[in-house]
Amino acid sequence: MSYVLGIDIGTSSLKGIILNQKGEVKATESSQYDVNYPYPNFSEQDPKQWIRALKEVLKKLNAHHEGILAKIAGISFSGQMHSLVLLDELGEVIRPAILWNDTRTFKECKEIKEKMGSKILQITKNIPLEGFTLPKVLWVKKNEPGNWKRVWKMLLPKDYVRYWLTGAIHMDFSDASGTLMFNPETKEWSQEILNKFDISPDIMPTPVSSQQEVGKIKSNIAREFSISPNVSVFAGGADNACAALASGVIEKQDAMVSIGTSGVFLSYEEKITNNYDGKLHYFCHVIPERYYSMGVTLSAGNSLKWFKETFATEKTYSELLANIHEVPPGSHGLVFTPFITGERTPYFDPDIKGAFIGISAQHTLDDFGRSVVEGITFSLRESQELLQKETGRVYEKIVSVGGGAKNPDWLQIQSDVFQSNVYSLETEEGPGYGAAMIAAVGIGWFATFEECSKEFVQQQKMTTPHAENIDKYNTVFNIYKQIYRKTAGISRLLKNI
Ligand SMILES: Nc1ncnc2c1ncn2[C@@H]1O[C@H](COP(=O)(O)OP(=O)(O)O)[C@@H](O)[C@H]1O
Ligand SMILES: O=C(CO)[C@@H](O)[C@H](O)COP(=O)(O)O
C-alpha cells in the first residue's frame, strides 16, 4: 500500500498528514512555533523554525507509525501565503521572514499605487495591500540595502521548505498570484512590474502548476528520515487554495470559511474575467485554470489566541469556550472587533485597533469569550456580504475549516451569523489534506482534482441556523459594523502613545 504526505506550513504550526488511496488519514503530527512582533505593525518568523518543526514532524511520523515514511510515494505542500523569504547565493536565509500579517509597508503600498495606478489591478487582479509580497520586497530594498544586495532568490514559506528538502527553486501559480508581481492570466512574472521597481527577474523562482513534479528529496535527508529516494515531490499551493480543495469547494455556489490565525471567506471562480475592482482578493487556484476570490480577517483565530494567552493562560481552547453556549447571542451587550493587527477586508486599514464595546460590571470571562468568537464571525460576515453583493451569489453551502471549526458552539454561531447551513468535514485536517490531495493527483492516483475530491472529501451536514437567533444577530451585527467608523480616529490617536 502506498501513501501520500501533505505538509502544511501554517502560521502557528507545521503539520504533516499521511493519506492512503481512499483519502483516509493514516497519520498526522504537528509542531508549534511562535510569531515575533518586534515593533508595532511588524510580524516575523525565523524560517529555521519551520525546518526544526519539519524534522520533528517527520521523526514523530516514523516513531508513532512504524517507519511509515518509507511507504510514501508522493509529497506536496501548502503554506501561509505572501510571507517573504530571502536567500543568499549559498541558499542561506538572509533575514527573518516578513509575514502576511505584517503591516509595516503602508508607504510602499502608496508608492506602488503612485507608480502603477490602475495597471497593477489590471495585471495582477489585486490592489496593493500591506500583506502582499511586493511591498515587503520594496521595504527591504529601501530599509536594508545591505540585505537586498545579497539576495539570490525570493521565496514563500512552503517554497523554502521544499527547497530545503530538494534543492530546487520553484513557486506554484496559486502562491505566485499572491505576490502582486505575477500575471494570473499568462501565468508569468510581470516584466512590467519587475522593471518598474527595479527587481531582477533572476531572483524570481520558476512558476509552475501545483501538481508539477519539481524534484526529489536530497539523498542525505531521505536517508535520515527513511524516505525512499524515488518519492516524487510536487509543487503544492497556497494554504487557502489547498483548504478549499480539501473542503470540496469546487462549485460556484459553495463557499469556504477558514478560521486559522487569519480568517477567510472564500468563493470558487471558474473564470478570471471579473476581479471585483480589488475589493476582494482574486488568486489562481491549485486546480488548473480555476480561480478563487476571498475576503480576509487578519486576526481571526489569532484574536482568540491573544485573548486566551492574555486573560486565561491556564485554560485550553475547549475550557475557555466550555460555557459560551450558556451566554445568549450578543454576549449580554458586549461586542468585540478583532482588529488587533489592523484589518484587511473590507477596510484595508493597517492602523485600526481592536475594541471591546459595552463592558459592564456583570460581564464574566464567558461573556468575553463568546464576544471574541462572535466578533471574529461578524468580521467574516462582512466578507460574506461583500462576496454576495459582488458575485450575485447566495451560498447554499458553507464549509467551515481550521481551528475555529473544532468547537460545535462556534459552528452554531457561524450558522446563525451567516444565516446558512454550515458543514464541517469528517476529517478536519485543514490545508495539509489539500496538499496531500495534490500529491495524489500528481502521482496519478486520479486524472483530475475533481475526481480526487469526489473520492476523498466527506462533508458532514452539521449545523443549521436557529431561527430565533437570526434577528438578534442582525441587530448586533448592525452595531458591530458601526464600530470601525467610530473607532478609526481614536485608533490613529492611540498609535502615537
Ligand atoms: N479547540 C478549539 N476551539 C476553538 N478554536 C480553536 C481550537 N483550537 C484552535 N483554535 C483556533 O484555531 C487557531 C489555529 O488554527 P490553525 O488552522 O491551526 O491555524 P494556522 O493554519 O494559522 O497555523 C488558534 O489560533 C485558535 O484561535
Ligand atoms: O494572508 C492570508 C491570505 O491572503 C492568510 O490567510 C495566510 O495565508 C495565512 O493563513 P493561516 O495561517 O491563517 O491559515
Side-chain angles (χ1 to χ4, degrees):
M1 183 71 163
S2 75
Y3 298 141
V4 286
L5 168 63
I7 296 171
D8 175 49
I9 298 93
T11 311
S12 61
S13 65
L14 184 143
K15 297 166 196 146
I17 295 150
I18 293 181
L19 305 184
N20 67 11
Q21 276 171 298
K22 291 182 186 157
E24 292 160 348
V25 178
K26 299 311 288 179
T28 123
E29 295 292 345
S30 70
S31 169
Q32 309 280 323
Y33 34 72
D34 290 325
V35 176
N36 302 317
Y37 303 104
Y39 307 104
N41 298 76
F42 281 46
S43 172
E44 300 187 337
Q45 215 157 42
D46 181 354
K48 283 197 205 93
Q49 291 292 335
W50 306 328
I51 304 303
R52 181 210 40 80
L54 174 66
K55 288 178 177 174
E56 186 186 324
V57 162
L58 294 177
K59 256 189 216 147
K60 286 203 279 194
L61 282 168
N62 267 339
H64 299 163
H65 307 277
E66 284 184 36
I68 194 166
L69 292 177
K71 299 180 190 152
I72 300 297
I75 301 181
S76 196
F77 304 83
S78 62
Q80 44 167 302
M81 301 170 68
H82 322 296
S83 306
L84 175 68
V85 181
L86 295 172
L87 301 185
D88 69 12
E89 259 181 40
L90 300 172
E92 298 293 330
V93 173
I94 293 176
R95 70 172 323 288
I98 306 182
L99 299 198
W100 57 274
N101 54 359
D102 183 298
T103 54
R104 75 183 75 172
T105 57
F106 178 76
K107 280 192 200 144
E108 288 71 24
C109 287
K110 198 161 159 261
E111 181 190 339
I112 299 168
K113 280 176 208 153
E114 282 164 6
K115 288 195 175 154
M116 294 289 302
S118 60
K119 214 55 207 295
I120 196 88
L121 178 62
Q122 218 177 306
I123 299 171
T124 68
K125 313 299 171 199
N126 290 283
I127 54 169
L129 294 177
E130 287 77 8
F132 294 166
T133 322
L134 173 60
K136 301 181 197 308
V137 168
L138 299 185
W139 186 91
V140 175
K141 215 167 158 240
K142 197 189 313 160
N143 294 281
E144 300 180 349
N147 281 340
W148 180 248
K149 250 194 224 145
R150 293 171 53 209
V151 174
W152 169 61
K153 293 287 172 192
M154 65 134 268
L155 294 175
L156 300 191
K158 74 158 198 326
D159 306 312
Y160 172 66
V161 169
R162 195 183 52 241
Y163 164 71
W164 182 84
L165 280 167
T166 62
I169 297 270
H170 298 89
M171 189 183 293
D172 77 289
F173 304 147
S174 69
D175 250 345
S177 59
T179 63
L180 212 68
M181 290 177 266
F182 187 74
N183 184 328
E185 269 169 309
T186 61
K187 312 276 189 292
E188 288 167 340
W189 297 112
S190 161
Q191 203 54 57
E192 186 174 345
I193 297 174
L194 298 184
N195 284 347
K196 183 70 84 182
F197 297 100
D198 191 23
I199 298 168
S200 163
D202 296 344
I203 73 165
M204 307 309 285
T206 309
V208 292
S209 69
S210 289
Q211 80 273 28
Q212 174 148 336
E213 188 171 349
V214 288
K216 299 283 180 201
I217 306 277
K218 286 179 182 167
S219 53
N220 60 322
I221 299 175
R223 228 176 298 118
E224 182 178 349
F225 297 100
S226 307
I227 303 171
S228 155
N230 300 323
V231 165
S232 302
V233 180
F234 303 95
D239 60 358
N240 288 301
C242 289
L245 177 66
S247 316
V249 173
I250 53 170
E251 302 277 343
K252 267 191 350 191
Q253 302 307 326
D254 299 347
M256 176 193 81
V257 165
S258 160
I259 301 176
T261 304
S262 66
V264 159
F265 204 106
L266 180 150
S267 178
Y268 178 83
E269 302 281 354
E270 280 169 348
K271 297 195 184 99
I272 195 152
T273 47
N274 191 341
N275 55 31
Y276 310 122
D277 300 323
K279 286 180 214 154
L280 295 155
H281 305 356
Y282 209 107
F283 298 134
C284 293
H285 211 305
V286 290
I287 305 171
E289 295 311 321
R290 294 290 181 265
Y291 304 88
Y292 65 97
S293 50
M294 67 177 182
V296 175
T297 296
L298 276 184
S299 277
N302 194 37
S303 287
L304 188 65
K305 181 170 185 272
W306 160 79
F307 181 73
K308 183 178 101 60
E309 286 174 0
T310 309
F311 300 108
T313 331
E314 72 294 352
K315 291 187 193 286
T316 62
Y317 286 110
S318 306
E319 286 164 356
L320 177 67
L321 304 180
N323 302 321
I324 61 166
H325 63 279
E326 288 168 11
V327 177
S331 304
H332 292 119
L334 184 62
V335 185
F336 171 72
T337 55
F339 309 144
I340 63 167
T341 51
E343 189 53 302
R344 274 209 217 151
T345 319
Y347 304 112
F348 301 122
D349 183 349
D351 290 327
I352 189 70
K353 305 288 176 207
F356 281 107
I357 306 279
I359 302 172
S360 66
Q362 70 266 36
H363 283 133
T364 64
L365 186 66
D366 292 333
D367 293 320
F368 275 89
R370 183 165 181 123
S371 79
V372 170
V373 163
E374 288 178 341
I376 297 163
T377 316
F378 287 147
S379 162
L380 288 163
R381 175 157 160 185
E382 293 210 272
S383 287
Q384 177 193 18
E385 288 194 346
L386 190 55
L387 270 163
Q388 292 190 165
K389 186 166 157 236
E390 293 293 323
T391 62
R393 296 172 203 148
V394 174
Y395 298 105
E396 286 158 11
K397 187 197 279 176
I398 297 174
V399 185
S400 181
V401 299
K406 287 183 185 161
N407 183 289
D409 294 320
W410 198 347
L411 286 168
Q412 185 62 54
I413 291 170
Q414 288 184 47
S415 179
D416 293 343
V417 169
F418 301 142
Q419 300 178 18
S420 170
N421 291 338
V422 168
Y423 295 72
S424 52
L425 298 168
E426 209 164 82
T427 44
E428 184 1 58
E429 297 295 343
Y433 193 93
M437 287 171 76
I438 293 173
V441 173
I443 58 172
W445 287 356
F446 300 95
T448 64
F449 283 103
E450 286 79 2
E451 270 180 33
C452 180
S453 173
K454 277 199 193 102
E455 177 71 24
F456 276 20
V457 182
Q458 308 290 331
Q459 290 163 353
Q460 287 179 315
K461 186 176 172 208
M462 282 290 290
T463 320
T464 50
H466 286 165
E468 68 278 16
N469 292 344
I470 288 181
D471 281 350
K472 184 125 190 226
Y473 271 132
N474 280 338
T475 306
V476 186
F477 180 60
N478 283 329
I479 297 168
Y480 169 92
K481 279 201 289 190
Q482 296 177 40
I483 299 176
Y484 172 79
R485 202 168 26 85
K486 294 189 173 167
T487 58
I490 297 172
S491 295
R492 271 156 194 75
L493 293 176
L494 290 171
K495 196 184 167 192
N496 299 320
I497 291 176

